[in-house]
Amino acid sequence: MAQPPGEPLPREVLGRLTAILGSAGVITDAGSLLVYESDGLTAYRFRPRAVLLPRNTAQTAQCVRVLADAGIAWVARGAGTGLSGGALALGNAVVISLARMDSIIDVDAGNRRARVQPGVVNVELSAAVAGAGLYYAPDPSSQTVCTIGGNVAENAGGPHCLKYGTTTNHIVGLTVVTTDGNVIELDTGAADGGLDLVGVFVGSEGTFGIATEITVRLLAIPEAVETLLALFDDVDDASRAVSALIAAGLLPAALEMVDREAIRAVEASAYAAGLPTDIAGALVIEFDGSPAAVKTDADEAVEICRQGGAREVQRATDEAERQRLWYARKKAFGAMGRIAPDILVQDAVVPRSKLPGTLREIYEIAARHGLVMCNMFHAGDGNLHPTLVFDRRDPDQVRRVELASKEMMITCVRAGGTITGEHGVGLDKREYMEMIFSEEEMAVMCDIRRAFDPLGLANPAKVLPVRVCREWVGPATRRVTDPAA
Amino acid sequence: MSTTADRFAEHLTASTGAGAAAPPELLARVNAACAREGFAAVLAPDSADGAAAVLAICSAEGWPVLPIGAGTWLDPRGGPTRGGDVTPPAGVAPGRRATSTGADEGAVAGPETRTGDDAVAPGAAATARPPVLLSTVRLNRIIEHEPADLVIGVQGGVTLEQLDAALAAKQQWLPLDPAAAPHATIGAVAANASAGPLRAGHGTPRDMVLGVEIATGDGRLLRFGGRVVKNVAGYDGVRLTVGSRGALGLITALYLRVRGAARADRTLAVACGTGEGGARRGADLALALRDGAGCDAIELLSPAAAGRTGLVQPGWHVLVRLLGSVAAVTEAFERCQRIASGHETADVENDRPAAEVPSAVWDSLARLEASAGTAVRVTGPATGLADVTAALGRDVPTEAEGGWLMAAHAADGVIRLWRSSGPDGGPNDLAEWGTTAVTDGWTMMYDRPYELSISGRRDPRSDAEARRALAARLRTVFDPAAIMRGPWEV
């Protein structure tokens, strides 16, 4: 779905912004704006009215103030890798790109803190502090390109958040440009008590303001790592093994699952890892910590998997082999392109104990709609990523994908889960919010949003269903109209 | 002759029925702690809907409400009796928030000295009505516990000992050890975001609560988060609620992330010597242990605190707790011993006697701190721990009988000072300590009594008003009539 470009910025506004950022910091030509009309949710395109490229907090605040004065909506954008449409410029918004704010301001190794601008790439932060024996734990799959600011906006997760938590567990302070163009400092404070303004800001998907400086918590690089790959002939056995590992008191650093379709796609690609393509599923299990702890836990995990029906458990003996064992999981998305030109990735979460039954149901849903589906997901968290492959040039496929996706979401919510574990609500799951929140709860969230953004200009029409906040309604608002839904 | 408060109490009780009557033991606890004129009624609803109904009535009729959990934190010298009035007890100087400059930036005043443009204190904003004390003691049910999910759902009035027992029966535990009585409620612990030494390895309640149900200040029942360990749907009302200290309403239920029970639990105590040198050695050792071994808890104890927890050697002590598999704990224990003996720090002249002690020492420490009548918290970057601890050790009478006890969550830079008696008598002026002890990036404030913890939270930063206004707008979302009372920043 594409929205035609809206009206250009008023000349007076454009003039003020150019005075702040210089001509190189303001993009208005149609060709350049094309780059910003989509993000990781590629089915949608919304061309922004302009793109602004501030370099620091002061410039960002001045820009927001200009836009607030003119009543112009805006959306902050990191690397544009988000999968829920969070960076799409709905409402004829202006994009405020934080790409030029990519400095690591300070590293305080003694106190295990770093202060960064939002445009710092996730993996580059870890690289920058590795010399001090530290790293930044949240590791979304897009970490080689996604930015810390985007991670904050979405409360990003990743494979290792099973043990280390998500982004919100690693943010201790923020400099925030508020929606009226002022600047406030938020910090968790060691006093612990009091409203956690940092905590409520993280994951607010760009609707509360812009974090222009972020203080993160760093962890010591684990001394030892052991990685296992357990191969199963039955998906049920694999998902039951997940529960068995957790119930045994083990806490892997990562516990991922990939199914047959994903493995086949990887083995047919340049990323082939030599895995058998007749298995039903595989678990990637990783432990980190002290050498003794890691060995003990890995030994126990091997035994649990074998008792749980694993055909084979491979154990990495060096870093190269560890990378190979991860290929099936990390390269699966990229390998999907061999199957079809488009994918839709869902992001539902269910309690671990419900994994076997939920997986069976979503496979049935995909089959019933005649769709090819792969599963590669964070099994330890119960965070499913059913991935439907299709060709968006075929309207019937698109219709069936949307129906199947909604059915899968209903299945996961009925199992006691939620609609998004790490990708965010954005535009993509806005209408699913009523599956898990009452009208009253959504109204309260709207009020919380208004407390931060009384003008309603920050990333409009995201997170909450449009009717809840009486916000902008436009052609991008689409609903599945299947009577059975 | 019945007072206005008495009449309202009768009206409230009649409206909410027997389901909200306070049990005798709670009444006894309240009466022992509070003067009768200090509260309008004590209610303990037996359902979340009942709690919401109480709040709806109070909101509609403008009666303040103070959530009290199980009443274990009621100040025996009259904490909630003043209906939000924050007049400090006689003889106590107003608290001050010392800043990095060491200067008295923005002196914190009690309400009698606040200027007209100061933020409004709860007591001044409210009417003179005494609060309704709202307890969760009858919200004491385990809602659900699926061990395979490592998640437990409980009502807000479930006590810590009740929770521990339920989890232990399934070989699980919640790695949270706040300085609270065993019959304190998990709802109150979450409301205060209270954490103990295990925060070093496992975080605070903000890292453990997955979902909350809250009866808001205007009587709505809302749920945020859920039963799953990853959840980014909507705005994080869980993080907003945990640590809100009752400002938004009453926590009626929570879902908590738990862990498998550790198979080994060992504690190492290292005596670091006396005086300022002992304090510095202890602080330095604590950070060396943080960096060299995966410790679940690292505490620095003053000589008085160490003695009171049963440690026999004189002087400052570092306590380390190690939890996990037998092999992992054995390896970590040996590593800690090596660090303590100076081998790995190449500080061979600094031989520090280290001995394993029963892990019950942690319970002793928690009980000791839970009994505090007055508590002060000094927080800052952990790398400054040695300087600040040494200065406090020098200036605060920690050694004398009846003096202050001190302990620090060393890895997080959180120093606590406490005494069982009230702030009356003896050195109690935060400014006196602050100007000598507080260095760059450290702050100091009262935790208890609650009155002083309010007055002690003045924020001198230039954007304080914007932050305060934001917090006020958020509170209004949940409590439009501003009836909730408690020790939060105004």
Side-chain angles (χ1 to χ4, degrees), chain B residues 92-178:
Chain B
V92 177
R96 289 169 189 268
R97 184 183 176 95
T99 67
S100 59
T101 66
D104 185 14
E105 288 186 39
V108 179
E112 69 276 15
T113 60
R114 286 178 184 252
T115 60
D117 59 352
D118 276 359
V120 179
T127 64
R129 292 172 173 175
V132 170
L133 305 186
L134 189 57
S135 168
T136 55
V137 288
R138 298 177 71 197
L139 300 177
N140 56 9
R141 200 167 44 87
I142 305 289
I143 299 170
E144 64 175 293
H145 182 202
E146 173 51 68
D149 292 336
L150 287 179
V151 174
I152 189 168
V154 299
Q155 288 189 310
V158 165
T159 65
L160 297 180
E161 59 188 354
Q162 184 185 355
L163 179 61
D164 286 346
L167 292 171
K170 304 290 184 183
Q171 291 81 53
Q172 295 184 340
W173 71 307
L174 182 70
L176 187 62
D177 55 350

Side-chain angles (χ1 to χ4, degrees), chain A residues 108-113 154-159 161-166 168-169 171 183-197 199-200 202-205 207-208 217 220 223 243 246-251 290-293 296-297 300 347 349-354 378 380-383 385 415-425 433 436-438 440-441 444-452 454 462-464, chain B residues 146-151 170-172 191-195 199-200 204 206-208 216 219-237 239-245 247-248 257 259-261 263 287 289-294 325-329 331-332 335 377-384 409 411-414 445 447 457 459 461 463-464 466-475 477-478 487-489:
Chain A
D108 179 357
N111 290 298
R112 299 185 174 182
R113 297 283 190 268
E154 302 295 330
N155 191 12
C161 68
L162 170 62
K163 181 175 179 180
Y164 294 109
T166 57
T168 196
N169 302 104
I171 304 301
V183 180
I184 57 172
E185 299 289 335
L186 306 179
D187 61 69
T188 55
D192 300 323
L195 291 186
D196 187 356
L197 299 179
V200 74
V202 177
S204 59
E205 306 196 26
T207 61
F208 287 3
R217 186 166 68 99
E223 203 176 341
S243 289
I246 301 300
L250 298 175
L251 186 62
S290 69
T296 303
D297 290 348
E300 189 168 353
D347 178 42
V349 187
V350 297
R352 272 184 226 95
S353 57
K354 306 294 187 194
H378 313 298
D381 304 316
N383 187 186
H385 289 314
T418 189
I419 62 173
T420 176
E422 58 186 6
H423 294 175
V425 176
M433 288 283 280
I436 54 171
F437 293 111
S438 66
E440 196 166 53
E441 286 156 357
V444 165
M445 281 196 243
C446 205
D447 290 338
I448 291 173
R449 182 171 178 164
R450 281 201 197 96
F452 282 89
K462 305 286 177 62
V463 184
L464 292 165
Chain B
E146 173 51 68
D149 292 336
L150 287 179
V151 174
K170 304 290 184 183
Q171 291 81 53
Q172 295 184 340
N192 286 284
S194 297
R199 62 183 293 153
T204 69
R206 287 186 168 134
D207 302 305
M208 300 172 192
T216 64
R220 291 169 290 171
L221 209 53
L222 305 175
R223 294 168 192 85
F224 297 108
R227 304 160 56 201
V228 290
V229 297
K230 280 173 74 175
N231 192 343
V232 294
Y235 301 126
D236 200 338
R239 286 249 162 181
L240 198 58
T241 303
V242 175
S244 60
R245 298 190 168 193
L248 309 183
R257 178 178 184 160
R259 295 283 302 270
R263 294 166 193 174
L287 292 188
L289 289 165
R290 181 201 68 175
D291 294 337
S325 66
V326 172
V329 168
E331 179 185 59
R335 183 172 301 185
R377 182 178 293 252
V378 184
T379 59
T383 48
H409 303 315
D412 294 317
V414 178
M445 63 190 69
D447 259 354
R457 290 186 193 278
D459 185 346
R461 291 175 289 181
D463 58 347
R467 203 167 25 256
R468 199 154 39 229
L470 173 60
R473 290 195 298 272
L474 289 169
R475 282 199 301 274
V477 171
F478 293 82
W488 57 85
E489 184 173 2

Side-chain angles (χ1 to χ4, degrees), chain A residues 4 86 90 125 128 133 168 216 219 256 296 302 348 364 403 408 461:
Chain A
L90 273 67
L125 172 56
T168 196
V216 305
L219 302 182
E256 304 284 296
T296 303
V302 168
E364 287 167 8
L403 289 173
M408 290 177 187

Side-chain angles (χ1 to χ4, degrees), chain B residues 163-467:
Chain B
L163 179 61
D164 286 346
L167 292 171
K170 304 290 184 183
Q171 291 81 53
Q172 295 184 340
W173 71 307
L174 182 70
L176 187 62
D177 55 350
H183 51 282
T185 65
I186 186 63
V189 169
N192 286 284
S194 297
L198 286 171
R199 62 183 293 153
H202 300 277
T204 69
R206 287 186 168 134
D207 302 305
M208 300 172 192
V209 179
L210 302 174
V212 292
E213 177 186 78
I214 178 172
T216 64
D218 60 349
R220 291 169 290 171
L221 209 53
L222 305 175
R223 294 168 192 85
F224 297 108
R227 304 160 56 201
V228 290
V229 297
K230 280 173 74 175
N231 192 343
V232 294
Y235 301 126
D236 200 338
V238 175
R239 286 249 162 181
L240 198 58
T241 303
V242 175
S244 60
R245 298 190 168 193
L248 309 183
L250 187 76
I251 296 176
T252 52
L254 308 97
Y255 278 84
L256 301 156
R257 178 178 184 160
V258 301
R259 295 283 302 270
R263 294 166 193 174
D265 180 358
R266 298 178 71 178
T267 296
L268 180 70
V270 185
C272 300
T274 57
E276 186 171 330
R280 287 187 178 280
R281 276 193 294 275
D284 289 342
L285 173 62
L287 292 188
L289 289 165
R290 181 201 68 175
D291 294 337
C295 304
D296 293 85
I298 309 174
E299 287 288 291
L300 174 65
L301 272 61
S302 68
R308 293 283 298 276
T309 55
L311 297 172
V312 297
Q313 292 209 45
W316 291 81
H317 279 70
V318 172
L319 278 182
V320 174
R321 190 171 190 182
L322 304 165
L323 297 150
S325 66
V326 172
V329 168
T330 301
E331 179 185 59
F333 192 90
E334 291 169 357
R335 183 172 301 185
C336 288
Q337 285 182 309
R338 285 197 298 275
I339 294 171
S341 68
H343 291 172
E344 290 199 359
T345 59
D347 187 9
V348 296
E349 293 187 43
N350 214 350
D351 189 30
R352 301 161 179 146
E356 183 165 7
V357 297
S359 290
V361 69
W362 299 101
D363 290 334
S364 299
L365 179 61
R367 280 197 299 273
L368 191 62
E369 199 170 347
S371 65
T374 307
V376 173
R377 182 178 293 252
V378 184
T379 59
T383 48
L385 187 67
D387 288 340
V388 177
T389 306
L392 287 171
R394 184 182 60 237
D395 297 336
V396 176
T398 58
E399 299 286 352
E401 183 66 31
W404 295 80
L405 304 172
M406 178 162 44
H409 303 315
D412 294 317
V414 178
I415 303 171
R416 296 102 60 211
L417 297 104
W418 70 94
R419 58 191 294 166
S420 58
S421 60
D424 302 328
N428 51 42
D429 189 337
L430 277 181
E432 187 178 307
W433 297 351
T435 53
T436 56
V438 173
T439 59
D440 190 34
W442 285 73
T443 56
M444 175 185 284
M445 63 190 69
Y446 276 104
D447 259 354
R448 259 185 272 173
Y450 284 161
E451 294 93 334
L452 294 181
S453 75
I454 298 173
S455 61
R457 290 186 193 278
R458 176 67 176 270
D459 185 346
R461 291 175 289 181
S462 61
D463 58 347
E465 183 50 44
R467 203 167 25 256

Side-chain angles (χ1 to χ4, degrees), chain A residues 465-477:
Chain A
V466 168
R467 57 181 173 70
V468 173
C469 290
R470 304 292 190 270
E471 287 184 282
W472 174 86
V473 177
T477 309

